[in-house]
Structures are given as C-alpha cells and as structure tokens.
C-alpha cells in the first residue's frame, strides 16, 4: 500500500502525527475513521495523486500517531484538538490552505476544522456521516440499535476498554461486518494494518474520541449554533446507498444547517466507501474537489 509515498512522522508540540505524502498539484488532506487508519484510502490514492498532493494521516489516538493522556473533560480528544493537529501538520508541510476529505470520525474532525479554521479549508468532503450534533440530539431506538457503539464507547473507563481488549479481532470483525456490505472489500494488507494498530492504547484513545463527541464536542457545536457560525467552504456529503446514514437522515438537508454551499448523493455499498466503492468515491471526490 502507498507505494512510492513518503512515509514519515512529525512532532507537533507534544503530539506526533504519522502520515504519508505523494503527488502533484494542490494539497488534499485525507482523514480516516473508526476503527481504522490512513490505510482506508489505499485504493483511491493512485487516482488522487494525479491531480493533488495527497497527505493521508493518522488522527491522534489512532494508527501510529500519539495517544496522549486524557483529562476529565476529554479535551485532548476533542475534535477541536484533533483538527488543530492536522492543520499544524499541513502547515509544517508548507500548505497554508488545502482541501480536506474525511470518512467517519475523520469527517467529524474535518467539520470542526472548517468551523475553527475557515480561511484554511478550501473545500470539504465528508463521507457517510450526518453531523454529530444532529445524530445525538435526534437519537431514538432505531439509531441506538444501529449505532450502539456510540453509547457503549462513552461508558466510563475502563468498561469498553476491557471488553474490546478481551478480543480485539472479534470486535473488529463484528464492526466491519455490521457497517460494511462487502467483506471482500477489505484487502489483507489493510485489514492486517487495522489489527496491528488496535492496541490497548488505541482502544482507550478511541473511546476517549467518542467520549469527547458526547460531551465537549457537543458544547463546541452548540456555541457555533448559538453564534450562528457556519462553514464557509463548499461541502460535499456522500454516503453508502446500502448503509444506515442515507436511510436515516436527509443528509444534504442536515449539512445545509451547517453550510450554505452543500451538495451530495449516495454511492454503491455500505459505510466504508473508499474500500467498498473506490471507483465511485474517487470520481465523486475528483468531480467536487478538482473539476468543480
């Protein structure tokens, strides 16, 4: 995976961020979701580097990036802090403005990034998510059953940590089986990477990511709502036609509550669009980020 990419780590204050970089053209930052790493993008980066300088990184708490010690308010794993890491990474690489595409948790980091750094993000694509605020504030029995992990992972330390840690491979297989619609979509190389990185430290950090989303992140979102602060850059939202998000939400309408320039549509497959529908995902990103 990521042949010919430069693979490196960079220290940003007390945090180390793992990333790969290659390509030519305007900078594009790719952010992964849970419970994965930057490896989720491996099928589509060959097509992206023809038009962009692609940076695919591991979020703090995931992959080979730092897993900092948390606090009672979960601030170190707030999307604000996670977004700041990625902005500093891009600046360190010489990119003061850039495009961003985020899948799952990476989309939530991109959402916060576009709000906190409006003059830096040129365009934003979010993959198979509705806004966090919407999903928590409108939660019902249907949502709780489909997204049970949102309520499981936020339980106090160390309940989910111990339960996942007892059999990480079982948990990983169950997650991919629940959200994905094509188990053959995950290559051995990528799956092995996800297994390698699901360490006790990552399990704890990822729980903190979710605990932050249910607490401090909601507060940050509420502040933006109260202040009528909206995303300035154009937004693309795409989702899996066989997944939950597109069935449950009017995805475009929900993102229009956060930005004035929104477009979106469903693609074949389930939740893991870059792996389940790589050709369609690549074309959607190119159409929006490069040709549009």
């Amino acid at each position: 995976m990521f042949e010919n990419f430069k693979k490196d780590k960079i220290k940003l204050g007390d945090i180390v961020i793992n990333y790969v970089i290659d390509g030519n053209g305007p900078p594009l930052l790719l952010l992964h979701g849970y419970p994965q790493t930057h490896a989720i993008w491996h099928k589509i980066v060959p097509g992206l580097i023809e038009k962009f300088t692609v940076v695919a990184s591991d979020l703090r708490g995931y992959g080979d990036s730092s897993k900092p010690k948390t606090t009672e308010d979960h601030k170190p794993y707030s999307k604000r802090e996670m977004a700041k890491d990625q902005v500093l990474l891009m600046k360190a690489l010489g990119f003061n403005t850039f495009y961003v595409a985020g899948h799952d948790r990476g989309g939530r980091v991109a959402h916060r990034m576009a709000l906190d750094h409006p003059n830096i993000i040129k365009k934003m694509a979010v993959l198979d998510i509705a806004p966090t605020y919407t999903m928590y504030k409108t939660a019902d029995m249907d949502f709780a059953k489909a997204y049970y992990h949102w309520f499981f992972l936020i339980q106090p330390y160390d309940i989910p940590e111990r339960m996942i840690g007892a059999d990480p491979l079982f948990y990983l297989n169950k997650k991919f089986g629940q959200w994905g619609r094509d188990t053959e979509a995950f290559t051995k190389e990528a799956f092995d990477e996800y297994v390698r990185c699901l360490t006790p430290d990552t399990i704890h950090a990822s729980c903190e990511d979710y605990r932050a989303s249910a607490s401090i992140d909601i507060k940050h979102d509420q502040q933006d709502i109260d202040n009528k602060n909206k995303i300035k850059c154009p937004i693309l939202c795409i989702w899996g036609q066989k997944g939950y998000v597109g069935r449950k939400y009017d995805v475009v309408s929900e993102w229009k509550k956060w930005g004035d320039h929104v477009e979106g549509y469903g693609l074949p497959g389930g939740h893991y669009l870059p792996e389940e529908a790589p050709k369609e995902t690549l074309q959607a990103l190119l159409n929006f980020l490069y040709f549009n």
Side-chain angles (χ1 to χ4, degrees):
M1 298 185 294
F2 301 95
E3 293 182 7
N4 301 320
F5 272 70
K6 176 186 176 184
K7 302 177 182 180
D8 204 356
K9 296 179 181 180
I10 189 167
K11 186 172 176 58
L12 305 166
D14 296 332
I15 299 296
V16 173
I17 296 296
N18 182 60
Y19 70 96
V20 297
I21 182 171
D22 192 19
N24 296 286
L28 167 61
L29 175 64
L30 301 178
L31 302 175
H32 66 88
Y34 175 87
Q36 297 174 291
T37 71
H38 72 274
I40 190 176
W41 304 104
H42 74 103
K43 290 185 179 180
I44 69 171
V45 289
L48 290 174
I49 60 175
E50 296 177 4
K51 304 295 184 183
F52 296 95
T53 299
V54 174
V55 179
S57 68
D58 291 337
L59 298 169
R60 73 158 64 187
Y62 293 87
D64 291 314
S65 290
S66 292
K67 287 85 179 171
K69 185 177 180 180
T70 192
T71 57
E72 287 189 9
D73 63 358
H74 315 293
K75 180 181 177 182
Y77 290 91
S78 68
K79 303 310 151 294
R80 175 159 289 163
E81 294 300 318
M82 296 171 85
K84 188 188 301 180
D85 292 340
Q86 303 299 324
V87 169
L88 292 175
L89 166 66
M90 295 300 278
K91 285 186 176 181
L93 295 174
F95 307 127
N96 293 319
T97 61
F98 54 90
Y99 300 97
V100 62
H103 173 258
D104 190 85
R105 309 308 290 174
R108 304 187 192 287
V109 174
H111 180 190
R112 176 47 52 192
M113 187 185 298
L115 288 166
D116 287 356
H117 308 275
N119 298 320
I120 289 177
I121 308 306
K122 299 174 73 173
K123 290 183 179 181
M124 176 182 78
V126 290
L127 281 62
D128 208 62
I129 62 168
T132 305
Y133 187 92
T134 297
M135 295 176 80
Y136 266 129
K137 292 296 184 178
T138 63
D140 57 13
M141 180 68 77
D142 182 54
F143 174 75
K145 289 192 294 184
Y147 270 59
Y148 80 89
H149 64 289
W150 275 41
F151 305 96
F152 169 57
L153 297 174
I154 67 175
Q155 295 305 306
Y157 175 83
D158 58 352
I159 298 171
E161 284 92 341
R162 281 181 176 268
M163 295 178 72
I164 297 170
D167 196 340
L169 182 59
F170 171 84
Y171 180 78
L172 198 63
N173 276 312
K174 286 295 182 181
K175 283 292 103 189
F176 288 158
Q178 179 189 16
W179 298 337
R181 294 298 179 267
D182 179 9
T183 56
E184 300 298 318
F186 304 102
T187 65
K188 184 179 186 304
E189 292 82 3
F191 187 80
D192 287 348
E193 184 71 0
Y194 304 145
V195 173
R196 179 186 72 83
C197 291
L198 198 61
T199 64
D201 285 344
T202 299
I203 292 169
H204 174 55
S206 63
C207 290
E208 284 298 302
D209 170 12
Y210 280 83
R211 288 169 182 140
S213 279
S215 55
I216 191 169
D217 290 345
I218 293 291
K219 292 179 182 178
H220 291 159
D221 285 351
Q222 189 65 60
Q223 290 169 358
D224 283 311
I225 292 170
D226 293 344
N227 293 328
K228 299 182 179 180
N229 183 28
K230 300 186 78 173
I231 294 170
K232 295 181 179 180
C233 70
I235 303 168
L236 171 70
C237 49
I238 52 179
W239 58 88
Q241 292 171 337
K242 296 181 181 179
Y244 177 79
V245 170
R247 294 198 311 270
K248 179 67 175 177
Y249 305 98
D250 183 338
V251 183
V252 174
S253 293
E254 291 300 335
W255 281 106
K256 282 185 175 179
K257 295 176 182 178
W258 288 95
D260 294 326
H261 309 285
V262 182
E263 60 186 89
Y265 46 89
L267 298 179
H271 178 61
Y272 302 99
L273 290 175
E275 291 174 292
E276 293 187 73
K279 292 181 180 179
E280 295 86 352
T281 301
L282 171 62
Q283 195 59 56
L285 292 177
L286 288 175
N287 289 346
F288 173 69
L289 299 173
Y290 189 79
F291 296 115
N292 189 346

